[in-house]
Amino acid sequence: MSKILMSHGAGGDKMRQMLENFILPKLKSDIGDVPLSALDDSGIIDDIVFTIDGHTVTPLFFPGGDIGSLAVAGTINDIAVMGARPVALALSLVIEEGLEEEVLERVMDSISQASQKAGVPIMAGDTKVVEKGAADKIIVTTAGIGVRSDLLDTNIKILKEICHTHIRWLRDSNVQAGDKIIVSGNVGDHGIAVLSCREGYGFESDIQSDVCALNHMIEKALAVGGIVAMKDPTRGGLANTLNEFAEKSGVGIEIDEALIPLDPGVKTASGLLGIDPLEIGNEGKAVIAVAPEKADEVLACLRATEEGKNASIIGQATADIKGVVMTTAIGGRRVVEPPVGDPVPRIC
Ligand code: MG
């Protein structure tokens, strides 16, 4: 009998197959303005933006963050990238018997700080304890709701004026040929930071996770206007995000390797480990498709923020190709496939 494998949880093609074969057919997945079947970052019904994310990272604490800050940022970002304003979170804790009280306290301190910094309160919660072995230390799940904001309407109004595009939310399927693709900063930091503190990997680095709520940065970018689509490149990394844009929007995307912001330490560590930094999950980045007329302005706005200081225009959507194609640093061209497995499992 076939069984679920780790690769089914990797955010790539195998995960998509599992969702399509076992999960979505059992659910009424076509309800709402952005239905479940769209597999966007959030679902939207009656202008309420709704999402949920479970977190099972190991180890619980890593350079630059921990499971608590991750759980808060992950859900806030999934709401913010739709163009919505996150307003409230719910928190579920599944705690394994034997967890040190001090660990729970540290996780809760981190959740509290991250939620205050983002300005999104936790309004509901549930806590369960399971017997030893029934969970790995602690599983933290956050759900969140967001609402339509004036800034999204401003963004859309500007978009209409410059290219007559009619959109209502920043869906993955909105990208059109000519749109510029911006990544808001260095890719791969989170996965490498988590790996660097796992036993057995035998490498040391000073890479910090990028885990961070992006709602404030995104609001500033929306005020500039011209943004058509946005996504946080978490599991599956930049490679998966770009392929989702391309497939759902029916466009090709061409990117330039030399323009992708990458910390030299992440580049070295990825090379040593034989993994592609484009496939590593990020927890504080946004990939943004912008009408070409506004791309430089949005880029400047992002670069003026702490979260987006390394933002870069890495390429554009095009009708000339299918899928995602990258011009490599040495001048070749290669297809960027959606990752099949996860090079770094359990980082979120
Ligand atoms: Mg997401």
Side-chain angles (χ1 to χ4, degrees):
M1 197 179 284
S2 302
K3 296 193 175 169
I4 301 300
L5 307 172
M6 283 303 286
S7 56
H8 283 112
D13 250 14
K14 284 200 89 165
M15 181 154 197
R16 204 180 167 109
Q17 283 166 24
M18 176 174 72
L19 291 174
E20 281 169 2
N21 293 338
F22 298 104
I23 297 179
L24 296 176
K26 308 287 182 185
L27 305 169
K28 274 195 175 289
S29 61
D30 56 352
I31 296 168
D33 310 323
V34 178
L36 177 62
S37 59
L39 300 179
D40 248 297
D41 296 282
S42 296
I44 304 180
I45 186 161
D46 293 338
D47 273 0
I48 297 167
V49 182
F50 188 39
T51 196
I52 186 164
D53 218 333
H55 297 85
T56 63
V57 63
T58 185
L60 298 177
F61 304 94
F62 45 81
D66 57 77
I67 194 168
S69 53
L70 194 62
V72 170
T75 293
I76 287 175
N77 292 345
D78 275 341
I79 292 170
V81 294
M82 302 303 292
R85 184 164 59 85
V87 291
L89 298 176
L91 172 71
S92 149
L93 303 174
V94 177
I95 303 167
E96 184 192 16
E97 174 188 24
L99 185 80
E100 295 86 0
E101 287 178 351
E102 190 229 330
V103 170
L104 178 59
E105 201 168 8
R106 276 179 72 191
V107 171
M108 286 312 303
D109 279 342
S110 171
I111 288 174
S112 164
Q113 281 164 20
S115 137
Q116 279 179 42
K117 190 172 177 204
V120 186
I122 289 162
M123 302 286 295
D126 177 61
T127 306
K128 300 273 164 42
V129 178
V130 295
E131 62 271 35
K132 197 154 189 56
D136 186 6
K137 297 185 186 74
I138 186 168
I139 297 171
V140 182
T141 302
T142 47
I145 53 172
V147 295
R148 219 179 157 77
S149 72
D150 295 352
L151 292 168
L152 176 60
D153 289 328
T154 304
N155 174 72
I156 287 172
K157 192 168 151 260
I158 293 168
L159 202 52
K160 256 185 206 163
E161 285 164 9
I162 54 177
C163 55
H164 312 289
T165 299
H166 295 273
I167 64 167
R168 194 159 158 70
W169 295 98
L170 306 184
R171 301 183 59 165
D172 297 348
S173 54
N174 290 346
V175 186
Q176 293 185 330
D179 291 341
K180 296 288 180 186
I181 306 293
I182 297 177
V183 60
S184 70
N186 297 0
V187 299
D189 294 8
H190 175 70
I192 294 297
V194 175
L195 267 193
S196 73
C197 60
R198 274 193 197 155
E199 278 177 41
Y201 278 89
F203 76 98
E204 278 183 30
S205 87
D206 50 10
I207 306 297
Q208 303 272 311
S209 165
D210 59 355
V211 58
C212 173
L214 297 173
N215 50 328
H216 299 313
M217 177 191 84
I218 289 171
E219 280 180 4
K220 288 176 186 145
L222 287 174
V224 174
I227 295 172
V228 297
M230 195 168 354
K231 200 161 184 64
D232 56 338
T234 52
R235 248 180 323 178
L238 183 63
N240 200 58
T241 296
L242 294 175
N243 274 283
E244 285 204 47
F245 275 163
E247 196 192 323
K248 293 179 189 175
S249 298
V251 292
I253 292 179
E254 46 192 15
I255 58 170
D256 189 337
E257 187 173 25
L259 299 176
I260 300 172
L262 190 62
D263 184 287
V266 170
K267 192 175 181 184
T268 306
S270 307
L272 283 172
L273 296 164
I275 54 184
D276 181 351
L278 303 193
E279 297 188 358
I280 303 174
N282 309 276
E283 292 293 342
K285 295 289 147 30
V287 183
I288 308 170
V290 190
E293 296 87 344
K294 296 296 272 187
D296 288 335
E297 239 181 293
V298 170
L299 181 68
C301 167
L302 292 169
R303 282 189 173 166
T305 66
E306 179 56 29
E307 307 92 302
K309 64 183 180 213
N310 294 327
S312 171
I313 296 176
I314 60 167
Q316 57 277 320
T318 167
D320 301 338
I321 55 163
K322 279 193 161 52
V324 181
V325 175
M326 178 167 77
T327 301
T328 65
I330 52 168
R333 275 166 77 80
R334 83 160 165 99
V335 174
V336 178
E337 303 269 11
V340 179
D342 192 344
V344 198
R346 289 202 54 195
I347 62 167
C348 61

